[in-house]
């Protein structure tokens, strides 16, 4: 089988044992890689109702058939588990050399289960066809931030290894702790870092030896041509100057820049934290392995230290908190990277705390724009020092439920995952994208907003739903399964056909939009089945954006008065369910499950909900 390494490495931390299994070819054919492998494994192997922070949860690290090949931006890794933040399926896509070393070692997926007796890190190597996994003592790394941990591990194992790790937030089981690589790459927003922490696992380090075998050597030529094509795109030079950070100015113009916990779509001080400010202050850029579009723009923070910025980080830790100073925003970002926390959820949680303070629901909280206190509370969350840190470390859904109904009304999440940085008071299509994202409110499966703003934003029409499904199929179905970065396609417009050609050359198998749609439908439907199985019930309330966007209109700017409409929204949600073959509650139909080859999911689903034909 070309394109795939053919090995699945299973590691049991409780028993300190590992085994290498052959990859099931039908898994590769039907689920491709990355997210597809993750959901199939979690569905098959997790006992329903598993506590995400128990030894029974499984941490999955998966690559795809295009990962690490000499093509644009291929150094990516899918990290997944049952999420302790949402209670459903969770994943993230992180740039790391670990992905490259997995490919060199011929490993398509690492499945880690159990719990080490004491803090441990894994060192994995394959030599002469043999795999070796060392379970190393990590007691002296426990408690260290991710930057220091990386330096220490490199001292021991050299720089020619790949590694991912957690910081103190993961160790303390902060529900939005992430997995970190390369001092600034962060993946697994729905608390995948906490899953790693619950297993007493500080880091995974790997050195792979060997070549990646592909079906047709022409891949190298297509890959080089695709790199040249990427770099020749008209938008490429501007992208290299500002990366995702230019979105600040765009979002301000479009009134979608999250401001004061998503109460407004415009921020008075946006220019201080925008793309041009980043460009002026930039000292270097950082990127994932095999990348030709570096997106990590590094500036000096308020303490004079280096910090990496992207749009989401700036908006969530800047405008959303009323902080209009780039160096201060960068400092909050640096705290998140070092402690191993997601910046989007951190920004949303701090914004939530600020609004709760304003409404006198929190004592000793944080005032809008109070950067010093925000930094203090961010550290408190990571280290779980005080009651406030402990409350906020559960994420906004759980925290709001503890504070009461008034707080629930301004908790900005869907299915427990805090919303990424786009205000949707006047963007029903994007609101639907957040609400139907398979991991909770993340933009990665459908960044519909720029298309919607261009097309006309206020109506609730079927073409928006069709566009959403198309985007989810490409983003969620292609890039999360072949496991490469989507930026060449989405940011500078590298045509999808390049990926289909690369897929064919790597695997010998055909790929086109029809095949892709079927595969993504299969993956989305299985993910939906997983959520339903784990929640034990389902209704459309789980696919609904937060009440604030419906009930509290924008009070400023050109779109003053704008808010979402429930009737229009539910009309769109109904069309969405129809297009996916799910019933009016959002539950997959029996016929859909059968058509997608998911018959195996029927018995477990039928044991918790009644399925419609
Ligand atoms: C992603 C999410 C994003 S999405 C951003 S900024 W973005 C935030 N970055 C964080 C950070 O930095 N530090 C931190 N402590 N937490 C952070 N949380 C937020 O995490 C990232 C890039 C980006 S930057 C994006 S959009 C693209 N995402 C891709 C994706 O999802 N899939 C894919 N096939 N390709 C992608 N390419 C781009 O990769 P999550 P990364 Mg990320 C400092 O992981 O969980 O998906 O969260 O992993 O290596 O940082 O790549 O404007």
């Amino acid at each position: 089988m070309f394109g795939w390494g053919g090995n699945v490495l299973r590691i049991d931390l409780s028993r300190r044992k590992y085994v290498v299994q052959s990859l099931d070819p039908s898994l590769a054919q039907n689920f491709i890689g990355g997210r597809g492998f993750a959901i199939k494994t979690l569905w098959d192997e997790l006992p329903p109702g598993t506590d995400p922070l128990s030894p029974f949860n499984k941490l999955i690290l998966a690559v795809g058939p295009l990962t690490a090949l000499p093509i644009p931006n291929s150094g990516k890794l899918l990290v997944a588990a049952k999420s302790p933040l949402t209670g459903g399926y969770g994943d993230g896509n992180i740039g790391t050399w670990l992905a490259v070393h997995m490919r060199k070692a011929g490993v398509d997926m690492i499945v880690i289960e159990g719990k080490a007796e004491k803090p441990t890190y894994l060192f994995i190597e394959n030599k002469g066809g043999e795999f070796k996994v060392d379970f190393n003592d990590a007691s002296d790394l426990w408690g260290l931030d991710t930057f220091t941990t990386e330096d220490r591990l490199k001292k021991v194992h050299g720089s020619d290894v790949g590694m991912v790790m957690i910081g103190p937030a993961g160790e303390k089981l902060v529900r939005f702790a992430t997995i970190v690589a390369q001092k600034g790459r962060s993946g697994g927003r729905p608390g995948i870092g906490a899953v790693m922490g619950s297993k007493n696992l500080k880091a995974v380090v790997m050195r792979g030896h060997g070549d990646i075998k592909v079906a047709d050597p022409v891949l190298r030529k297509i890959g080089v041509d695709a790199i040249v094509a990427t770099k020749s795109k008209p938008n490429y030079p501007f992208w290299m100057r500002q990366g995702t950070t230019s979105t600040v100015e765009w979002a301000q113009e479009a009134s979608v820049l999250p401001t004061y916990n998503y109460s407004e779509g415009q921020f008075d001080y946006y220019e201080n934290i925008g793309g041009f400010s980043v460009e002026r202050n930039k000292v270097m850029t950082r990127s994932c392995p095999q990348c030709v579009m570096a997106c990590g723009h590094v500036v000096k923070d308020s303490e004079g230290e280096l910090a990496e910025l992207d749009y989401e980080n700036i908006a969530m830790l800047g405008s959303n908190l009323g902080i209009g100073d780039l160096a201060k925003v960068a400092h909050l970002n640096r705290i998140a990277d070092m402690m191993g926390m997601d910046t989007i959820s951190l920004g949303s949680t701090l914004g939530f705390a600020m609004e709760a303070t304003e409404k006198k629901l929190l004592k000793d909280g944080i005032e809008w724009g109070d950067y010093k206190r925000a930094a203090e509370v961010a550290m408190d969350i990571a280290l779980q020092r005080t009651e406030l840190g402990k409350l906020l470390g559960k994420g906004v859904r759980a925290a709001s439920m503890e504070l009461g109904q008034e707080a629930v009304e301004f908790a900005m999440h869907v299915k427990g995952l805090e919303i990424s940085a786009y205000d949707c008071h006047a963007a029903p299509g994007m609101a639907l994208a957040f609400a139907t994202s398979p991991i909770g409110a993340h933009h990665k499966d459908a960044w519909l907003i720029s298309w919607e703003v261009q097309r006309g934003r206020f109506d609730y029409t079927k073409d928006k739903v069709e566009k959403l499904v198309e985007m989810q199929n490409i983003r969620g179905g292609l890039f999360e399964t072949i496991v490469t970065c989507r930026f060449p396609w989405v940011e500078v417009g590298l045509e999808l056909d390049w990926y289909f050609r690369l897929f064919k050359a790597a695997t010998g198998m055909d790929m086109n939009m029809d095949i892709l749609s079927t595969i993504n439908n299969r993956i989305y439907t299985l993910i939906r089945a997983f959520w339903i199985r784990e929640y034990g019930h389902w209704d459309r309330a789980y696919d609904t954006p937060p009440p604030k966007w419906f009930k509290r209109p924008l009070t400023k700017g050109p779109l003053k008065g704008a808010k979402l409409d429930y009737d229009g929204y539910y009309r769109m949600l109904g069309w969405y369910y129809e297009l996916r073959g799910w019933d009016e509650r959002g539950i997959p139909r029996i016929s859909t499950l059968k058509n997608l080859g998911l018959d195996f999911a029927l018995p477990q689903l039928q044991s918790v909900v009644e399925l419609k034909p």
Side-chain angles (χ1 to χ4, degrees):
M1 204 171 41
F2 290 105
W4 290 269
N7 296 302
V8 175
L9 175 59
R10 291 180 171 273
I11 300 173
D12 183 340
L13 289 164
S14 303
R15 297 191 302 134
R16 293 169 77 88
K17 297 252 185 255
Y18 63 93
V19 61
V20 181
Q21 297 176 334
S22 296
L23 178 72
D24 174 358
S26 74
L27 184 67
Q29 222 153 28
N30 294 322
F31 290 89
I32 307 292
R35 172 183 276 177
F37 286 5
I39 183 55
K40 180 68 167 59
T41 305
L42 292 173
W43 176 273
D44 286 348
E45 299 181 15
L46 278 202
T50 296
D51 173 354
L53 296 176
S54 75
F56 303 106
N57 200 0
K58 300 203 179 191
L59 171 66
I60 297 188
L61 311 176
V63 290
L66 295 195
T67 307
L69 292 176
I71 66 174
N73 301 16
S74 64
K76 285 280 202 173
L77 177 71
L78 195 292
V79 297
K82 179 175 175 183
S83 159
L85 182 64
T86 68
Y89 172 77
D91 72 23
N93 196 310
I94 180 172
T96 164
W97 284 98
L98 181 63
V100 179
H101 285 273
M102 281 176 68
R103 290 286 275 163
K104 282 184 172 182
V107 174
D108 300 303
M109 173 163 65
I110 302 176
V111 182
I112 302 174
E113 63 185 60
K115 176 178 181 178
E117 213 171 277
K118 55 181 185 185
T120 295
Y121 80 88
L122 297 169
F123 179 73
I124 306 168
E125 193 163 23
N126 73 312
K127 254 187 180 167
E130 286 296 310
F131 279 92
K132 182 176 79 122
V133 178
D134 294 332
F135 297 78
N136 292 325
D137 184 7
S139 305
D140 58 341
L141 298 175
W142 208 248
L144 293 184
D145 65 72
T146 59
F147 293 11
T148 315
T149 303
E150 178 168 338
D151 290 342
R152 293 262 185 104
L153 287 169
K154 279 195 172 154
K155 250 190 199 153
V156 178
H157 295 286
S159 296
D160 61 332
V161 291
M163 60 174 88
V164 293
M165 69 213 68
I166 55 167
E171 296 169 15
K172 300 274 185 191
L173 311 182
V174 172
R175 300 304 192 266
F176 47 84
T178 51
I179 291 177
V180 176
Q182 301 179 208
K183 302 187 179 179
R185 307 276 100 195
S186 158
R189 291 196 53 217
I192 310 303
V195 172
M196 206 160 146
S198 73
K199 299 187 172 308
N200 266 338
L201 181 61
K202 181 70 178 176
V204 179
V205 185
M206 185 165 187
R207 186 182 286 114
H209 304 268
D211 298 322
I212 307 171
K213 294 191 180 55
V214 296
D216 188 339
V218 76
L219 181 129
R220 188 165 285 276
K221 161 130 185 42
I222 307 174
V224 170
D225 289 350
I227 289 171
V228 172
T230 304
K231 291 184 169 180
S232 315
K233 293 290 177 190
N235 193 32
Y236 185 78
F238 185 64
W239 165 270
M240 293 306 282
R241 282 168 48 196
Q242 298 192 1
T244 59
T245 65
S246 64
T247 309
V248 174
E249 281 87 349
W250 175 83
Q252 170 80 6
E253 166 83 25
S255 293
V256 298
L257 184 66
T259 303
Y260 302 114
N261 194 30
Y262 296 86
S263 293
E264 306 296 341
Q266 290 195 327
F267 183 49
D268 290 346
Y269 308 103
Y270 77 97
E271 276 171 319
N272 299 350
I273 56 172
F276 287 97
S277 173
V278 171
E279 193 178 350
R280 278 194 306 276
N281 289 288
K282 182 164 60 171
V283 292
M284 63 194 278
T285 45
R286 287 198 196 129
S287 65
C288 305
Q290 326 265 63
C291 174
V292 294
M293 290 177 60
C295 70
H297 292 258
V298 180
V299 300
K300 283 207 170 147
D301 74 2
S302 50
E303 318 273 296
E305 302 286 349
L306 298 182
E308 185 176 327
L309 292 168
D310 293 281
Y311 165 70
E312 302 290 327
N313 310 352
I314 294 177
M316 295 309 297
L317 298 170
S319 53
N320 197 50
L321 307 183
I323 298 175
D325 178 318
L326 193 69
K328 291 177 176 170
V329 171
H331 183 59
L332 293 175
N333 197 146
R334 186 177 159 90
I335 290 177
D337 288 345
M338 292 181 80
M339 295 295 116
M341 288 185 285
D342 176 52
T343 49
I344 298 173
S345 292
L346 177 66
S348 187
T349 307
L350 292 173
F352 168 80
M354 288 175 173
E355 188 159 352
T357 307
E358 182 185 67
K359 295 196 157 56
K360 306 211 180 323
L361 299 173
L362 263 188
K363 269 195 256 148
D364 299 326
I366 326 173
E367 302 298 328
W368 293 115
D370 184 348
Y371 145 78
K372 270 215 166 112
R373 180 77 181 125
E376 209 172 85
V377 175
M379 286 303 289
D380 183 7
I381 293 173
L383 300 174
Q384 296 281 280
R385 281 185 184 133
T386 71
E387 288 311 310
L388 181 63
K390 286 179 190 156
L391 176 77
L392 299 178
K394 295 175 187 171
V396 298
R397 179 169 69 180
S400 68
M401 283 160 73
E402 285 188 32
L403 293 185
Q405 187 53 37
E406 192 181 345
V408 168
E409 295 282 317
F410 59 83
M412 303 306 287
H413 71 90
V414 176
K415 301 182 186 68
L417 184 69
E418 289 77 14
I419 299 176
S420 346
Y422 302 94
D423 184 85
C424 292
H425 276 93
M430 188 66 214
L432 183 69
F434 279 136
T436 58
S437 148
I439 63 165
H442 196 9
H443 62 289
K444 74 171 165 184
D445 278 65
W447 193 65
L448 198 71
I449 188 104
S450 84
W451 175 87
E452 185 175 29
V453 166
Q454 237 177 354
R455 178 214 161 277
R457 50 203 301 180
F458 297 105
D459 47 0
Y460 298 76
T461 49
K462 196 167 183 185
D463 69 314
K464 289 191 179 182
V465 184
E466 286 162 351
K467 187 71 184 173
L468 168 62
V469 171
E470 180 194 320
M471 275 196 183
Q472 288 180 336
N473 287 346
I474 296 169
R475 286 169 163 253
L478 184 68
F479 291 105
E480 303 313 318
T481 60
I482 60 172
V483 193
T484 70
C485 177
R486 63 170 185 261
F487 276 168
W489 167 70
V490 73
E491 295 292 352
V492 299
L494 184 71
E495 295 76 7
L496 275 185
D497 194 50
W498 286 102
Y499 291 94
F500 299 156
R501 287 170 62 202
L502 288 165
F503 187 84
K504 173 90 181 172
T507 65
M509 284 162 50
D510 287 325
M511 176 59 77
N512 56 42
M513 274 311 288
D514 286 344
I515 301 174
L516 189 61
S517 301
T518 306
I519 289 171
N520 194 46
N521 254 328
R522 180 177 297 131
I523 292 172
Y524 262 51
T525 298
L526 190 55
I527 292 179
R528 173 50 59 109
F530 184 83
W531 281 89
I532 297 167
R533 183 183 83 176
E534 299 307 311
Y535 274 37
H537 63 281
W538 200 260
D539 68 59
R540 64 183 191 172
Y542 292 120
D543 296 331
T544 303
K548 185 184 267 190
W549 286 342
F550 293 92
K551 295 183 183 168
R552 279 179 41 192
L554 295 173
T555 68
K556 285 196 222 150
L559 300 185
K560 185 176 168 185
K563 64 181 171 76
L564 294 180
D565 165 56
Y566 275 114
D567 289 343
Y569 177 78
Y570 283 127
R571 230 176 19 250
M572 287 172 78
L573 185 61
W575 286 321
Y576 179 84
Y577 288 160
E578 265 171 44
L579 286 172
R580 286 253 172 254
W582 304 346
D583 70 21
E584 68 290 349
R585 300 164 298 169
I587 297 175
R589 294 179 176 280
I590 294 173
S591 51
T592 303
L593 289 158
K594 286 189 169 167
N595 289 342
L596 294 170
L598 299 174
D599 312 50
F600 61 83
L602 281 166
Q604 286 193 8
L605 264 186
Q606 273 162 334
S607 73
V608 290
V609 287
E610 190 197 331
L611 296 184
K612 300 202 172 169

